[in-house]
Amino acid sequence: MSEIKHKIMVMSGKGGVGKSTVAVNLALTLSMEGYKVGILDADIHGPNIPKMLGIEDKKPDVIDSKIIPVSVLNLKVMSMAFLLPDTDSPVIWRGPLKMKAISQFTNDVAWEDLDYMIIDLPPGTGDEPLSIAQLLKSDGAIIVTTPQDVALLDSRKAVNFAKQLNVPVVGIIENMSGLICPHCGKEIDLFKKGGGEKASKELKVPFLGRIPIEMKIVESSDSGIPFILNNGNSKAKEAFKNIILKVEKFFEKKEEVI
Ligand code: ADP
């Protein structure tokens, strides 16, 4: 892991807000910018990254007792899903075994040199994501939330989680922010709007941007062809690109300080 310049944990106060979707598309956007990028799916109970990248049937090779991450679309990928006998198996390992698997991800995977590693943490701010985040030691946290007012509660927990670990917060992303009607083109604020931005103001952390709800995002997660690789432009695509500009700036500044 020492050959990795920046490790970003993508986290959320709760499940289902689009954390893994955001993690995959951010990783790909960074790789399209020319960076060497890896993605570590540390969401041990719902490891969906291989499905989202269309590599569910792949297994990593082991060479000289090192695990070689699966390469796809210019990304190096490691996931708990690769270690399961089939995609329907739930992970029911007890605590110590789970931690052993995660520390293997840390120590025994030959990531080689990477500019960025995106870590998809398990949802929530409980013991499990905490132990995993402690093991993986990132230098930035991205918090994914939804637009409702209650998002503030979840974001506050997530910001405190990062603070507890001494991990600087890169910023908050408001996902599922508005739906563009495919018929009339008008925007419908299905889950309200602005909760993520409000949270970032109150919690004094940067706001990285809004990603609208787009049908193509759901379709692409299911088909294994990530959204960002779709042809054509869209608001969500723009949003991912603008977010990455802010992420780059955040780490550039950090490098200047060092
Ligand atoms: P989490 O990792 O937080 O549990 P996922 O990334 O698995 O959430 O996303 C949950 C579901 O929501 C998936 O079906 C995904 O395709 C969908 N989804 C996520 N973000 C968006 C979005 N901006 N627009 C439409 N669907 C989305």
Side-chain angles (χ1 to χ4, degrees):
M1 289 287 235
S2 57
E3 296 150 285
I4 301 167
K5 271 194 204 152
H6 299 298
K7 279 180 267 169
I8 308 176
M9 57 183 193
V10 180
M11 54 175 306
S12 59
K14 61 169 186 243
V17 299
K19 173 180 54 62
S20 303
T21 308
V22 168
V24 162
N25 286 290
L26 288 183
L28 277 166
T29 312
L30 276 168
S31 136
M32 283 149 74
E33 290 290 311
Y35 294 107
K36 289 184 203 142
V37 185
I39 182 159
L40 171 53
D41 182 4
D43 189 346
I44 52 183
H45 291 291
N48 290 335
I49 300 282
K51 174 157 178 66
M52 291 181 174
L53 289 168
I55 48 169
E56 271 175 302
D57 302 330
K58 293 264 167 72
K59 293 275 176 218
D61 288 326
V62 178
I63 299 175
D64 293 336
S65 63
K66 284 275 173 199
I67 305 169
I68 312 297
V70 173
S71 287
V72 65
L73 303 166
N74 248 340
L75 292 180
K76 289 185 177 173
V77 190
M78 200 45 218
S79 168
M80 189 63 97
F82 296 143
L83 309 180
L84 298 175
D86 59 73
T87 47
D88 298 331
S89 301
V91 179
I92 40 177
W93 300 341
R94 301 202 187 281
L97 265 183
K98 274 188 281 193
M99 288 309 131
K100 199 168 169 241
I102 294 293
S103 73
Q104 253 191 351
F105 278 177
T106 327
N107 301 315
D108 301 343
V109 177
W111 291 101
E112 296 179 342
D113 58 325
L114 291 180
D115 297 306
Y116 286 98
M117 169 180 280
I118 301 290
I119 302 166
D120 186 21
L121 272 194
T125 46
D127 282 350
E128 195 163 288
L130 188 65
S131 328
I132 294 175
Q134 272 165 343
L135 263 177
L136 296 174
K137 293 192 185 72
S138 18
D139 58 344
I142 290 182
I143 295 162
V144 182
T145 189
T146 45
Q148 303 92 322
D149 288 342
V150 287
L152 177 61
L153 299 175
D154 298 324
S155 307
R156 186 175 287 133
K157 278 192 215 154
V159 168
N160 286 335
F161 177 98
K163 275 191 185 153
Q164 211 176 320
L165 288 161
N166 270 328
V167 177
V169 176
V170 184
I172 293 180
I173 295 177
E174 182 176 304
N175 188 33
M176 305 193 186
S177 181
L179 164 79
I180 315 287
C181 171
H183 307 293
C184 69
K186 268 199 188 154
E187 197 169 328
I188 307 160
D189 292 333
L190 208 59
F191 300 131
K192 294 179 75 178
K193 204 171 194 174
E197 191 162 14
K198 219 157 118 189
S200 75
K201 274 196 188 121
E202 280 201 45
L203 302 167
K204 299 191 172 56
V205 293
F207 182 63
L208 295 178
R210 294 196 172 88
I211 302 167
I213 300 172
E214 280 191 24
M215 298 276 290
K216 278 202 175 139
I217 295 186
V218 187
E219 286 159 16
S220 54
S221 296
D222 287 347
S223 70
I225 301 163
F227 166 76
I228 206 78
L229 302 179
N230 278 325
N231 289 326
N233 254 328
S234 75
K235 258 183 115 173
K237 232 179 190 180
E238 281 295 301
F240 277 114
K241 287 186 182 155
N242 288 329
I243 289 169
I244 284 304
L245 290 179
K246 293 186 185 170
V247 173
E248 281 178 299
K249 273 209 183 116
F250 177 91
F251 286 105
E252 266 166 33
K253 265 193 210 148
K254 265 186 84 181
E255 275 167 14
E256 275 169 25
V257 175
I258 294 162

